[in-house]
């Protein structure tokens, strides 16, 4: 198999690789459903064969536990591949549409064709899953692709490259490693579609670059995902699920609960149950737990530690946790109350293991706070009151919502995943990922003389009467 670029390439190497894919895209586009499924099965096998290498890599990058590597990195991809393989033939088939009376004598359908040469820019928080997951959709849709993994997780990026090289020739799929300079060079090229996962600020840069070539984009961004726990909620279940969804991956999850509203009558019980739940998950000392990983690097440790310090200086109270170790980039699972609105914890996406908790008396209070902020990637509701659930959904906007759970909608392959405006543009996963990497090509075929041909010039009184009837009845 041809050797791919394995270190940060120069501008000419990047352009050469892009040109090879541009030329080869039509060969890939002609592949059948069976051929694409075979590629996906090879990809799945290459991942499973390197299961231990993946575990070792994510542990080396930020001490991610092996079980979490299995579930959040490997399973998330293999289940996507299985789902896609089961449905791809149907997705690729002709999607017939109805024929209105004025178009009798014709047939119409939608054919999903590849967009062409695609760029996938992956983040560091789930460095395998968020690099390979979008690639599954790109392959299913018949595209060529360049994958740019994160430089912040070099061990995992190397495994991503190894997996891709084991399955694909570089003119079909290639991995390009490097830092910001490499991403900037890639964004100068006229890709047909760009799939970016990361922060909204960088998403704007990607979108501006895409606009230069009128490339379509899928932007999986983030923001502050709120959670509401009302007075009717099953508190034990809510605490268990919120603790898992927030402190998994040390809080470095774009859909993690970012700030929490608990009804004032349940706050003390919530804090007590959370303290017990965190001990059940991570023991007396999370720093010694094999189930709790670290911040990805010193920069992100300092960022989150700075948010916590700012909140404390403004009068916030640390209810649980708060311990830190800059030598190991460790921040203990932390619950903070009495956080003022202007504190960084309430203004910035936290992306770390610190959870602000606020109380409310009337549901209008959290709804007002949520709607004053940008649309979140996710919003979570814990309630047994159907009226409250309905009201929250109707009076807020979010990319996705879980009722009496959090985070898990990401893994449901039949649901679209993505944000809205500041939290993202476009959807991914399953059919929605296939659609994102495809062009819905409208095809109209005339079989018999069409009724509309009667209305062609020259215009007469009789034709005008027909036009009047058409406007009235059709």
């Amino acid at each position: 198999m041809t050797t791919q670029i394995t270190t940060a390439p120069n501008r000419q190497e990047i352009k050469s690789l892009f040109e090879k894919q541009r030329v080869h895209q039509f060969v890939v586009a002609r592949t059948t459903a069976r051929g694409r499924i075979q590629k996906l099965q090879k990809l799945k096998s290459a991942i499973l064969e390197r299961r231990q290498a993946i575990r070792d890599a994510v542990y080396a990058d930020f001490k991610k536990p092996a079980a979490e590597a299995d579930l959040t990195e490997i399973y998330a991809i293999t289940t996507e591949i299985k789902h896609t393989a089961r449905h791809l033939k149907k997705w690729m088939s002709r999607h017939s549409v109805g024929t209105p009376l004025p178009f009798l004598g014709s047939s119409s359908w939608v054919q999903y064709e590849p967009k062409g040469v695609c760029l996938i820019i992956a983040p560091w928080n789930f460095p395998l899953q968020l690099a390979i997951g979008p690639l599954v959709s790109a392959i299913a849709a018949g595209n060529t692709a360049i994958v740019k993994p994160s430089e912040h997780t070099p061990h995992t990026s190397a495994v991503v490259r190894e997996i891709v090289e084991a399955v694909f020739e570089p003119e079909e799929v290639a991995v390009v490693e490097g830092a910001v300079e490499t991403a900037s060079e890639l964004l100068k090229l006229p890709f047909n579609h760009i799939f970016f996962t990361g922060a909204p600020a960088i998403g704007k840069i990607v979108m501006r670059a895409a606009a230069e070539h009128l490339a379509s984009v899928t932007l999986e961004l983030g923001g502050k995902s709120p959670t509401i726990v009302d007075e009717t909620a099953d508190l034990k279940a809510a605490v268990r699920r919120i603790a898992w969804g927030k402190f998994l991956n040390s809080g470095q999850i774009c859909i993690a609960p970012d700030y929490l509203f608990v009804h004032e009558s349940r706050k003390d019980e919530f804090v007590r149950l959370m303290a017990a739940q965190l001990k059940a998950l991570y023991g007396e000392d999370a720093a010694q737990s094999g189930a709790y990983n670290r911040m990805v690097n010193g920069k992100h440790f300092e960022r989150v530690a700075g948010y916590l310090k700012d909140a404390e200086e403004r009068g916030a109270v640390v209810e649980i946790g708060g311990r830190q170790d800059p030598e190991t980039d460790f921040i203990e699972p932390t619950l903070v109350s009495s956080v003022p609105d202007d504190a960084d914890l309430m203004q910035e996406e936290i992306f770390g293991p610190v959870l602000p908790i606020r109380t409310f008396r009337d549901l209008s209070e959290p709804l007002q706070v949520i709607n004053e902020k940008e649309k979140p990637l996710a919003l979570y509701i814990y309630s047994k009151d159907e009226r409250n659930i309905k009201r929250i959904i109707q009076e807020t906007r979010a990319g996705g919502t879980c009722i009496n759970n959090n985070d898990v909608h990401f893994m449901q392959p039949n649901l679209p995943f993505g944000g809205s405006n500041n939290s993202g543009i476009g959807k991914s996963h399953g059919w929605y990922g296939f659609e994102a990497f495809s062009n819905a090509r409208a095809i109209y075929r005339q079989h018999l003389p069409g009724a509309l041909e009667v209305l062609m010039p020259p215009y007469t009184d009789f034709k005008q009467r027909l036009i009047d009837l058409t406007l009235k009845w059709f």
Side-chain angles (χ1 to χ4, degrees), residues 447-472:
H447 304 285
L448 300 171
L452 292 177
E453 293 179 29
V454 178
L455 303 180
M456 290 180 180
Y459 299 121
T460 63
D461 290 343
F462 172 71
K463 290 183 179 180
Q464 185 60 56
R465 287 195 295 272
L466 289 178
I467 290 171
D468 294 341
L469 288 171
T470 299
L471 289 171
K472 182 175 182 179

Coordinates of all heavy atoms in Angstrom, one line a residue, residues 447-472:
H447 N -41.9 11.2 -20.3 CA -42.2 10.0 -21.0 C -43.2 10.3 -22.2 O -43.1 9.8 -23.3 CB -42.8 8.9 -20.1 CG -41.9 8.6 -18.9 ND1 -40.8 7.8 -19.0 CD2 -42.0 8.9 -17.6 CE1 -40.2 7.7 -17.9 NE2 -41.0 8.4 -17.0
L448 N -44.2 11.1 -21.9 CA -45.3 11.5 -22.8 C -45.4 13.0 -22.9 O -44.8 13.7 -22.1 CB -46.6 10.9 -22.4 CG -46.7 9.4 -22.3 CD1 -48.0 9.0 -21.6 CD2 -46.5 8.7 -23.6
P449 N -46.0 13.5 -23.9 CA -46.2 15.0 -24.0 C -46.8 15.5 -22.7 O -47.8 14.9 -22.2 CB -47.1 15.2 -25.2 CG -46.9 14.0 -26.1 CD -46.6 12.9 -25.1
G450 N -46.3 16.6 -22.2 CA -46.7 17.1 -20.9 C -47.9 18.1 -21.0 O -48.0 18.8 -22.0
A451 N -48.7 18.1 -20.0 CA -49.9 19.0 -20.1 C -49.4 20.4 -20.1 O -50.1 21.3 -20.7 CB -50.7 18.7 -18.8
L452 N -48.3 20.8 -19.5 CA -47.9 22.2 -19.4 C -47.5 22.7 -20.8 O -47.4 23.9 -21.0 CB -46.7 22.3 -18.4 CG -47.1 22.1 -17.0 CD1 -45.9 22.2 -16.1 CD2 -48.1 23.1 -16.5
E453 N -47.1 21.7 -21.7 CA -46.7 22.2 -23.1 C -47.9 22.9 -23.8 O -47.6 23.7 -24.7 CB -46.3 21.0 -23.9 CG -45.0 20.3 -23.4 CD -44.6 19.1 -24.2 OE1 -44.9 19.0 -25.4 OE2 -44.0 18.2 -23.6
V454 N -49.1 22.6 -23.4 CA -50.3 23.3 -24.0 C -50.2 24.7 -23.7 O -50.8 25.6 -24.5 CB -51.6 22.6 -23.4 CG1 -52.8 23.3 -24.0 CG2 -51.6 21.1 -23.8
L455 N -49.6 25.1 -22.7 CA -49.6 26.5 -22.2 C -48.4 27.3 -22.8 O -48.2 28.5 -22.4 CB -49.5 26.6 -20.7 CG -50.7 25.9 -20.0 CD1 -50.5 26.0 -18.5 CD2 -52.0 26.4 -20.4
M456 N -47.7 26.7 -23.7 CA -46.6 27.5 -24.3 C -47.1 28.5 -25.3 O -48.2 28.4 -25.8 CB -45.7 26.5 -25.1 CG -44.9 25.5 -24.2 SD -43.8 24.4 -25.2 CE -43.0 23.5 -23.9
P457 N -46.2 29.6 -25.6 CA -46.6 30.6 -26.5 C -46.9 30.0 -27.9 O -46.4 28.9 -28.2 CB -45.4 31.5 -26.6 CG -44.7 31.3 -25.3 CD -44.9 29.8 -25.0
P458 N -47.7 30.6 -28.7 CA -48.3 32.0 -28.5 C -49.5 31.9 -27.6 O -50.2 30.9 -27.6 CB -48.7 32.4 -29.9 CG -49.0 31.1 -30.6 CD -48.0 30.1 -30.1
Y459 N -49.6 32.9 -26.7 CA -50.7 33.0 -25.8 C -52.0 33.4 -26.4 O -52.0 34.4 -27.2 CB -50.3 33.9 -24.6 CG -49.1 33.4 -23.9 CD1 -48.0 34.2 -23.8 CD2 -49.0 32.2 -23.3 CE1 -46.8 33.8 -23.1 CE2 -47.9 31.7 -22.6 CZ -46.8 32.6 -22.5 OH -45.7 32.1 -21.9
T460 N -53.0 32.7 -26.2 CA -54.4 33.0 -26.7 C -55.4 33.1 -25.6 O -55.0 32.8 -24.4 CB -54.8 31.9 -27.7 OG1 -55.0 30.7 -26.9 CG2 -53.8 31.7 -28.8
D461 N -56.6 33.6 -25.9 CA -57.6 33.7 -24.9 C -57.9 32.3 -24.3 O -58.1 32.2 -23.1 CB -58.9 34.3 -25.5 CG -58.7 35.7 -25.8 OD1 -57.8 36.4 -25.3 OD2 -59.6 36.3 -26.6
F462 N -57.9 31.3 -25.2 CA -58.1 29.9 -24.7 C -57.0 29.5 -23.7 O -57.3 28.9 -22.6 CB -58.2 28.9 -25.9 CG -58.3 27.5 -25.5 CD1 -59.4 27.0 -24.9 CD2 -57.1 26.7 -25.6 CE1 -59.5 25.6 -24.5 CE2 -57.2 25.3 -25.2 CZ -58.4 24.8 -24.7
K463 N -55.8 29.8 -24.1 CA -54.7 29.4 -23.2 C -54.7 30.2 -21.9 O -54.4 29.7 -20.8 CB -53.3 29.6 -23.9 CG -53.1 28.6 -25.0 CD -51.7 28.8 -25.6 CE -51.5 27.8 -26.7 NZ -50.2 27.9 -27.3
Q464 N -55.2 31.4 -22.0 CA -55.3 32.2 -20.7 C -56.4 31.6 -19.8 O -56.2 31.6 -18.6 CB -55.7 33.7 -21.1 CG -55.7 34.6 -19.9 CD -54.4 34.7 -19.1 OE1 -53.4 35.0 -19.7 NE2 -54.4 34.3 -17.9
R465 N -57.5 31.1 -20.4 CA -58.5 30.5 -19.6 C -57.9 29.2 -18.9 O -58.2 28.9 -17.8 CB -59.7 30.1 -20.4 CG -60.5 31.4 -20.8 CD -61.9 31.0 -21.3 NE -61.9 30.3 -22.6 CZ -61.9 30.8 -23.8 NH1 -61.9 32.2 -23.9 NH2 -61.8 30.1 -24.8
L466 N -57.1 28.5 -19.7 CA -56.4 27.3 -19.1 C -55.5 27.7 -17.9 O -55.4 27.0 -16.9 CB -55.7 26.5 -20.2 CG -56.5 25.8 -21.2 CD1 -55.6 25.1 -22.2 CD2 -57.4 24.7 -20.5
I467 N -54.8 28.8 -18.1 CA -53.9 29.3 -17.1 C -54.7 29.6 -15.8 O -54.3 29.3 -14.7 CB -53.0 30.4 -17.6 CG1 -52.0 30.0 -18.7 CG2 -52.3 31.1 -16.5 CD1 -51.3 31.1 -19.4
D468 N -55.8 30.3 -16.1 CA -56.7 30.7 -15.0 C -57.2 29.5 -14.2 O -57.2 29.5 -13.0 CB -57.9 31.5 -15.5 CG -57.5 32.9 -16.0 OD1 -56.3 33.3 -15.7 OD2 -58.2 33.5 -16.8
L469 N -57.5 28.5 -14.9 CA -58.0 27.2 -14.3 C -56.9 26.5 -13.5 O -57.1 26.0 -12.4 CB -58.6 26.3 -15.3 CG -59.9 26.7 -15.9 CD1 -60.3 25.8 -17.1 CD2 -61.0 26.6 -14.8
T470 N -55.7 26.6 -14.1 CA -54.5 26.0 -13.4 C -54.2 26.7 -12.1 O -53.9 26.1 -11.1 CB -53.3 26.1 -14.4 OG1 -53.5 25.4 -15.6 CG2 -52.0 25.5 -13.7
L471 N -54.3 28.0 -12.2 CA -54.0 28.8 -10.9 C -55.1 28.5 -9.9 O -54.7 28.4 -8.7 CB -54.0 30.3 -11.2 CG -52.8 30.8 -12.0 CD1 -53.0 32.3 -12.4 CD2 -51.5 30.7 -11.2
K472 N -56.3 28.3 -10.3 CA -57.4 28.0 -9.4 C -57.4 26.6 -8.8 O -57.5 26.5 -7.6 CB -58.7 28.3 -10.0 CG -59.9 28.1 -9.1 CD -61.2 28.5 -9.8 CE -62.4 28.4 -8.8 NZ -63.7 28.8 -9.5

